[in-house]
Amino acid sequence: MTVAQAVIRYLAAQYSEADGERRRLIPATLGIFGHGNVAGLGQALLEAERDDPHRLPYRPARNEQAMVHTAVGFARMRNRLSTLACTSSIGPGATNMVTGAALATINRLPVLLLPGDVFATRVADPVLQQLEHPSSHDVSVNDTLRPVSRFFDRVWRPEQLPAALLGAARVLTDPAETGAATIALPQDVQAEAYDWPDELFARRVWHVPRPAPEPAALARAAAVIRGAERPLIVAGGGVIYSEASAALREFAEATGIPVAETQAGKGSLPFDHPLALGAMGSTGTTAANRFAHEADVVIGVGTRYSDFTTASRTAFQNPGVRFVNLNVTAADTAKLAATTLVADARAGLIALRDSLAGWSTPASYRDRARELAAEWDATVQAAYTLGRAPLPAQSEVIGAANDVAEPRDVVVCAAGSMPGDLHKLWRTRDPKGYHVEYGYSCMGYEIAGGLGVKLAAPDRDVFVLVGDGSYLMMSQELVTAVQESVKLIIVLVQNHGFQSIGALSESVGAQRFGTSYRHRDPSTGRLDGPVLPVDLAANAESLGVRVIRAHDIESLRAGLREAKAADETVLVHIETDPLVAAPDSESWWDVPVSEVATIDTTRQARTEYDKHKQDQRPLLAPPPTQPPSTSGGFSTS
C-alpha cells in the first residue's frame, strides 16, 4: 500500500477504551484537497469509501481552521475519547490549521492533523506554495504547527510512519498530555508504496486511564480541607471530561462545600442544586465571587486557573487562603502554590470523600450558599425579562434561548461578550449542555464547533449563539451542515460591531474606537458615519440555510420554537442593543491601561486600574509541610 493508504487503514483500526466502554478513536476525516494531499490521502480515502463507506467516512470542509474547530467540538462532546482527523494541502491549507491547533492544545482537546508537505526527495523544489528557508532545506511552513501541537512528526520515509502513528495516538489518548497531534506528510511520500507489516493494521485499543491519588498526597489534601472554615470548590473542565459530575455532587453533599464553576466546568452541577454557586471569576456570579473572596481553602478540581477564573488573582482575598488542586495534569496541581493531588477527577473526588468521612461544614454555611445563589437567580430572571425596546438586550436573547432549549440541548459559543454573559446567565441542567470555548476565545469557532458537537451527539439539539463579528470571521461551515444534513439552531445576534471589545475599550478609556461597523465620514476621516448596510441573514440564506428574521423577543421565541421543530439547520437573526450590559459580577479582569495619555477618559481609567492592581495577590504561600491542626475547623458530625 501507499503511505496514505496505510494511514487510512491504520486510523480505521484504532479504538479508545475507558471504564470498559470501547469506541472508535477516529471515526471520520475532515478535509480540503489540494496538490499536497489529493493524490495521496484523497486517493486513499476514495479507495476506503468504495471498499466500505463506514470505514473512515470523509466529510468535505470549507475552511481548514474551521474543520479543526469542528474536530475540537466533536472531541469535547465525546469527553476526549474520540476525535476527527483533518487533512489539508501544503502551504496556506496547512498554515490555516495553526489557529485551530492552538485552540485544541490550549483547551487540552485531542485532534489529529494530517497536513501535506513539500517533496521529501526535493526533486521538484520549490514546489508551488513552498517556503524556501535560506538556512535550512528541511523547514517548511508546517513547522509553524510545532509549538501549537502536543505531538509533531514529519514522515520523510515510509519506514518512519509506524512510529509517527503510534506516537500521535498515544498523545490523543493521554488525558494529561492531549492536544493537537500533527503528522506532516510530504506529498511524494504519501503516494509511495511500501510493504507494511500486517500487525500495523490490527485492531488496537488505547486504554484511557483513571489515575488514583497517591496515598500520602491524599492525606495531605484531606488534612488541609479538614482545617478549613470557609472552603470552596472550583470545578473546571476536568470534571466534565472525566465524567465526574455525580462524584462531585456526592462529594459536595457529603462535605457541604459549595461549588463554583469555570467556563469549561459549567454544568458540573445543575444550576439549581443547593450547593451550586454558578460561574466563578471575572464573568462569574456575585454568589460565587463572594464565597471566593472569603474562602480560606479553595479546592480546584480539573481547572487550570485561567486569569478569568481567578479574576486576574484578585478573587481570593482571605489572607490565609490555601489551595488544594486535584488534576490529572501535574503542572496544574502546582499552580497557586497548592497542595497537589495528581489524579483523575472522578477517582480523586471519590477518594477525598472517603478520606473526609464524618467531616462537613455547618448548616449555616450551606444555607448562606443557597441564599446567595437564589439572589443571583433572581438577578438572572430580571436580566431575562428587561423588556427593552425597540431593541432587546443580549441577556433577553439568552433568556429566550434558555427557555426554548430542553435540558439535554447544548448551547455553543466562543468569543465576544456572549461567552461572559452565558457564563453568568445560562441555566445549565446537564453536564454536556454548555459548550463555550474560552481557553482561546477564538472568533469563528461557534458554527464550526457547533457542527462538531452535533456530529458527536446527533440526539441533542445544538443552539449556536454567535455575534455578527464572529459570524463574519467564519461562517462557511454552514455549507457543510447543509451538505451533510446536520441540524443546527443558530441565533445570530446583530449589533453592528464588536460589542465585547467595545465595552472593554470604553473601560480602558479608548471610547469604543474602531469597534463599530460604520462608514468612514469623508468630512472627518473617522469611522463614525452611518451603520454599514450588512445583511447577514441574507448571507446565510445564500449559503442554503433556512432563515427566520426576529424583530423582538416574542418573535425570537416563536422563531426558536419553529427551529426546534425543524429537521434542518435554521438561523434566527435578531438585532440587539450593544450598550445594555449584563449584570455585574463584582469582579475584575486585568487589561493594562495607558500609564500616560492626553485623553481624559484614559487618565480616569488608569486611576481606576491602579486601584484594582492593589488587590492582586501573588498567592505564593507554600502549602503546609505538616498536617494542620483541625481545632480551628469544623467539628465532625
Side-chain angles (χ1 to χ4, degrees), residues 513-514 518-529:
F513 173 71
R518 293 181 177 273
H519 285 282
R520 189 175 299 278
D521 188 329
S523 65
T524 65
R526 303 188 66 186
L527 293 172
D528 55 4

Side-chain angles (χ1 to χ4, degrees), residues 263-467:
Q263 279 279 14
K266 189 171 170 70
S268 295
L269 287 185
F271 82 95
D272 55 355
H273 189 279
L275 290 168
L277 298 171
M280 170 74 208
S282 299
T283 55
T285 71
T286 53
N289 286 334
R290 288 174 190 173
F291 265 77
H293 190 272
E294 301 170 2
D296 59 350
V297 171
V298 177
I299 306 162
V301 184
T303 177
R304 63 191 187 95
Y305 286 110
S306 76
D307 62 338
F308 264 72
T309 298
T310 68
S312 300
R313 301 207 177 195
T314 63
F316 309 109
Q317 289 295 315
N318 187 307
V321 64
R322 291 178 292 178
F323 295 84
V324 173
N325 290 342
L326 164 60
N327 205 298
V328 73
T329 302
D332 288 329
T333 66
K335 291 177 178 177
L336 308 182
T339 296
T340 62
L341 191 60
V342 181
D344 167 77
R346 187 204 291 180
L349 284 167
I350 292 172
L352 270 177
R353 184 193 65 198
D354 293 344
S355 296
L356 293 169
W359 179 93
S360 69
T361 63
S364 59
Y365 193 68
R366 304 175 186 220
D367 290 343
R368 183 164 179 261
R370 185 164 50 249
E371 290 165 4
L372 288 182
E375 286 180 15
W376 180 259
D377 196 57
T379 300
V380 171
Q381 188 60 34
Y384 279 5
T385 56
L386 288 176
R388 296 281 302 190
L391 295 179
Q394 185 164 270
S395 64
E396 295 177 273
V397 173
I398 291 172
N402 196 255
D403 289 344
V404 174
E406 296 177 359
R408 292 188 72 255
D409 292 345
V410 187
V411 63
V412 178
C413 194
S417 60
M418 191 80 75
D421 291 357
L422 285 167
H423 195 207
K424 299 175 186 179
L425 303 177
W426 190 264
R427 290 166 168 164
T428 307
R429 294 160 284 180
D430 182 273
K432 302 303 295 183
Y434 185 86
H435 185 115
V436 172
E437 189 286 299
Y438 218 54
Y440 210 37
S441 186
C442 185
M443 295 181 72
Y445 174 87
E446 293 88 345
I447 292 171
L451 174 63
V453 171
K454 183 65 175 179
L455 290 172
D459 60 330
R460 298 176 185 243
D461 272 333
V462 177
F463 286 72
V464 175
L465 271 60
V466 59

Side-chain angles (χ1 to χ4, degrees), residues 1-14 24 26 29 40-42 44-45 48 55-56 85-87 112-115 155 157-158 160-162 164-166 168 183-186 189-192 194 196 200-201:
M1 288 183 288
T2 67
V3 167
Q5 292 160 1
V7 168
I8 299 308
R9 186 164 176 182
Y10 172 87
L11 294 180
Q14 304 308 296
R24 290 280 299 276
I26 311 286
T29 299
L41 286 170
L45 286 163
R55 175 181 292 175
L56 198 69
C86 299
T87 178
L112 177 61
L113 309 184
L114 303 171
V155 178
R157 293 291 307 139
Q160 298 169 345
L161 181 65
L165 291 171
L166 292 168
I183 302 177
L185 297 167
V189 176
Q190 285 185 46
E192 187 174 345
Y194 186 73
W196 306 95
L200 178 63
F201 309 114

Side-chain angles (χ1 to χ4, degrees), residues 151-195:
F151 175 88
F152 182 96
D153 199 2
R154 181 180 280 113
V155 178
W156 293 113
R157 293 291 307 139
E159 295 91 332
Q160 298 169 345
L161 181 65
L165 291 171
L166 292 168
R170 179 193 65 79
V171 168
L172 292 173
T173 54
D174 186 333
E177 295 292 330
T178 196
T182 300
I183 302 177
L185 297 167
Q187 56 184 301
D188 54 344
V189 176
Q190 285 185 46
E192 187 174 345
Y194 186 73
D195 188 11

Side-chain angles (χ1 to χ4, degrees), residues 4 11 33 47 55 72 78 95 105 264 317 420 464 502 507 511 558 572:
L11 294 180
F33 293 133
E47 280 199 359
R55 175 181 292 175
V72 168
R78 291 285 180 91
T95 55
T105 298
Q317 289 295 315
V464 175
S507 73
Q511 303 178 1
V572 185

